[in-house]
Amino acid sequence: MIKGLVVDFAYFLNTSNNYQSTRRFVYNLLENTSYKYKKHFDLFMITLIFISVIILIREVKSDVNEYLLFFSNFVVSIIFFIEYILRFWIAGSVTKIIIEQNEHDLMLEDEFRLSHALRDIARVKLKYVFSIKAIIDLLAILPFFHQLRLLRIFVLFRMFKLFRYAKSIQTFTSVVASKKFEFFTLLIFASIVVFVSSILIYVMEANNPNSPIETLFEAIYWSIVTISTVGYGDITPATSEGRVVAMFVIVAGIGVFSFTTSLIVTSFTEKLDEIKDLKVIDDIAKIRNFYLICGYGNISREVAKKLTQTNKVIVLEEDFAKAETAKKDGFVVLNYDPGSISSYQKLRINLEDQVKAILCLGNSDVENVYTALTVRSFNKDVYILSTLINKANKNKLLFAGVNELFYEKELVGIVAKEFVGQPVAFEAIHSLRTNYNGIDVQEILVSDRVLESFYQVGDLENKKYRIVLLGIYKRNKKRFYFNPIDSTILEAGDYLLVIGNSKFLKEYKSYLNIKDYNDRN
C-alpha cells in the first residue's frame, strides 16, 4: 500500500508542471550560470557575506547595534539555511530515482523495491552533504546558535562561500585543480622537508640555553616559516649546526616557491584559450537573434561581412588556423567542431530563442551533412541553410534536415535552360563548365565593395577585359536575367555569370574590387 502511494506520488510530482517549473527555477537560480537572474542572486549573497564579516570585525573592539547583530546572526543565517535546503532539494531528483527503480522492477516482473530506491536517494543526498561546498554552507549557518559564542567565529566561513558565487574565483580554482597531481607532489616534498628539518633543528637547538627553540612545536613553526620564505626573525638558530639546517631549508623553500609559481603560470597558460572561450560563451548567452555560421572560408567571409552590417554573427570552425583567420577578420569565433553535439552543449544557447538561422558553409558536403544531422538531433525547428558543393549530395543534405540549399554552380544550369533545343549552344555551355581550352565560366559576387564603384551593368566594362557577361542572378528575387541591359541596377548579393579566359577573369575580378578609380587606370 505504502509502496504504491510512493510510486503514485513520484509520478504525480514528475508530471506536475508547477512542481517541475519551480524546481527548474530554483536550479537555474542556484546553479545555471547562464540564467539571467543568477548574477543578481549571486550579488545579493555576496553582499550578505561582506555585511556579516564587517559586523564581526566591528564587534571585536566596539559595541554593535543589537539590530545589526540580529540581522547577522538570525536573518542572514536563515537566508543561508533556506539556500542550503534548496540546494539539498535539487541535488538529485528523488522522483526520478523512484520512477526508474519502479520501471526497472516492472521490467524484471518484480515487486517495487522501496529499500533500493531509498538507498539510492540517500547516496545522492549524502554525496551533496559531504561535498566541500555543502560543508562550508553548513558551517556558515552555525552563527545562528549565537548562545555558543565560540560558534560565532564560523561567520568567517561565510567568506568561503564566495567560491560559490564569484566566477573569477571559480575559474582560478579550476585552473589550479588541473595541476592537482603536481601540487600534491609539491606538498609531499614540502612536508618531508618540514618534518626532517623540524626534527634536526629540535635535536640541535633544544638543549642549547641560548636557543629560542625549546619545544618540537616551536621547531615545526620555525621550519614552516622558513620554508615559506617569510622569515619573521622571532625564532633563529643559535648553533652552527642549526644554521646549516636553516640554509638547507631556505634553499628548499626557494625551490618550493619557484615550483609553485611555475605551476600556476603553466596552468593559466594551458587554460588561457579555454578561459577566453568561456568568456565568449558567456557573452554569446546574452545575445539574441544572431546567425551561427558553421565553417569558415571564402564564402563564409563574404556572408559574415554582409550579415554583420545589421546582425550579430558567431562562427564555429574546427580548424585552428581558419579560426584564427576569422578572428583576425574581426568575427566572434569559437574553435569548436560544428559536427559535434558537445560543441552546442558548451555554447549553452537556446537555438529557438537566440539563433535566427544556422548557415552550414563548410568546405565539403560531408561536413555540412554532419553539422545538419547534429543540429537536427536536438532541435527540429531551427532554420538551416547550406552550401551544396556536389549536386549529387543534394538529397543527402535535404534528408539531413537542411531547409534551403545554395548550389554555387547552379547558375550555369539556369543559363543552360535558355539553350534547350539548341544542341550546339548547349554543348558549348557544357564545354565551358569543364574549363575547355583555358576558357572558364565563373560567378562573381557583387559585394558592397564592388557597389562602391559600379552602380549598373553598363559600368562594369567587361568588354575591356574580353569578358562576356552571360547574365545576372538577382538573389533577392531568386531569378536569373539573361543578357541584362546596361541600365540593370546592381545590388549586394547579386551574381554575375561571366565567360572568358581564366587569366582575364582573374584580372577582371581584381579590377572590380579596386576602390580607387585612378588605380584602375
Side-chain angles (χ1 to χ4, degrees), residues 319-359:
D319 186 86
F320 179 77
K322 291 181 179 179
E324 289 299 308
T325 301
K327 288 179 182 178
K328 291 178 181 178
D329 290 339
F331 302 117
V332 178
V333 186
L334 288 169
N335 188 201
Y336 289 171
D337 178 11
S340 172
I341 196 169
S342 62
S343 300
Y344 302 94
Q345 291 172 344
K346 292 176 184 176
L347 281 176
R348 304 195 308 268
I349 58 175
N350 188 321
L351 293 183
E352 292 182 5
D353 296 338
Q354 294 181 254
V355 179
K356 281 187 175 182
I358 294 179
L359 311 181

Side-chain angles (χ1 to χ4, degrees), residues 233-474:
D234 54 340
I235 298 179
T236 56
T239 64
S240 299
E241 294 84 355
R243 289 169 181 164
V244 171
V245 174
M247 288 188 287
F248 165 74
V249 177
I250 290 170
V251 173
I254 294 173
V256 170
F257 182 77
S258 302
F259 190 32
T260 303
T261 304
S262 65
L263 277 179
I264 294 175
V265 172
T266 303
S267 301
F268 272 97
T269 303
E270 292 177 354
K271 292 280 188 175
L272 189 60
D273 290 335
E274 183 178 334
I275 293 171
K276 288 181 179 179
D277 284 349
L278 289 174
K279 178 64 172 64
V280 172
I281 289 171
D282 288 339
D283 293 339
I284 291 173
K286 303 172 185 176
I287 301 174
R288 292 291 181 271
N289 297 324
F290 64 87
Y291 287 96
L292 188 63
I293 295 180
C294 300
Y296 192 75
N298 293 330
I299 295 177
S300 307
R301 183 186 297 109
E302 294 299 326
V303 171
K305 285 180 180 178
K306 176 63 179 176
L307 290 176
T308 49
Q309 294 176 7
T310 54
N311 300 275
K312 296 287 186 179
V313 173
I314 310 298
V315 178
L316 296 185
E317 174 53 62
E318 183 180 13
D319 186 86
F320 179 77
K322 291 181 179 179
E324 289 299 308
T325 301
K327 288 179 182 178
K328 291 178 181 178
D329 290 339
F331 302 117
V332 178
V333 186
L334 288 169
N335 188 201
Y336 289 171
D337 178 11
S340 172
I341 196 169
S342 62
S343 300
Y344 302 94
Q345 291 172 344
K346 292 176 184 176
L347 281 176
R348 304 195 308 268
I349 58 175
N350 188 321
L351 293 183
E352 292 182 5
D353 296 338
Q354 294 181 254
V355 179
K356 281 187 175 182
I358 294 179
L359 311 181
C360 301
L361 306 179
N363 293 323
S364 71
D365 291 333
V366 175
E367 291 180 21
N368 295 332
V369 166
Y370 274 112
T371 300
L373 286 172
T374 301
V375 173
R376 287 295 180 230
S377 67
F378 61 88
N379 190 290
K380 306 298 182 185
D381 300 321
V382 67
Y383 185 83
I384 301 178
L385 181 143
S386 174
T387 54
L388 178 61
I389 310 300
N390 187 342
K391 202 168 185 178
N393 297 320
K394 181 177 180 179
N395 288 335
K396 296 177 183 177
L397 282 161
L398 292 175
F399 288 146
V402 174
N403 298 98
E404 185 176 350
L405 292 172
F406 173 74
Y407 182 41
E408 296 177 353
K409 301 298 181 182
E410 198 163 35
L411 291 177
V412 177
I414 295 172
V415 175
K417 292 179 182 178
E418 299 288 333
F419 297 99
V420 173
Q422 303 179 44
V424 176
F426 189 87
E427 200 59 39
I429 293 295
H430 177 72
S431 298
L432 289 171
R433 292 184 68 186
T434 57
N435 200 8
Y436 178 73
N437 289 332
I439 304 300
D440 194 10
V441 175
Q442 291 188 13
E443 301 94 34
I444 300 177
L445 174 66
V446 178
S447 63
D448 290 331
R449 186 183 183 90
V450 174
L451 288 177
E452 289 180 10
S453 305
F454 303 96
Y455 176 70
Q456 57 187 11
V457 170
D459 301 331
L460 294 174
E461 298 184 355
N462 52 291
K463 294 179 181 178
K464 179 180 176 181
Y465 286 83
R466 300 181 182 178
I467 302 298
V468 177
L469 177 63
L470 283 179
I472 180 171
Y473 178 73
K474 308 292 288 184

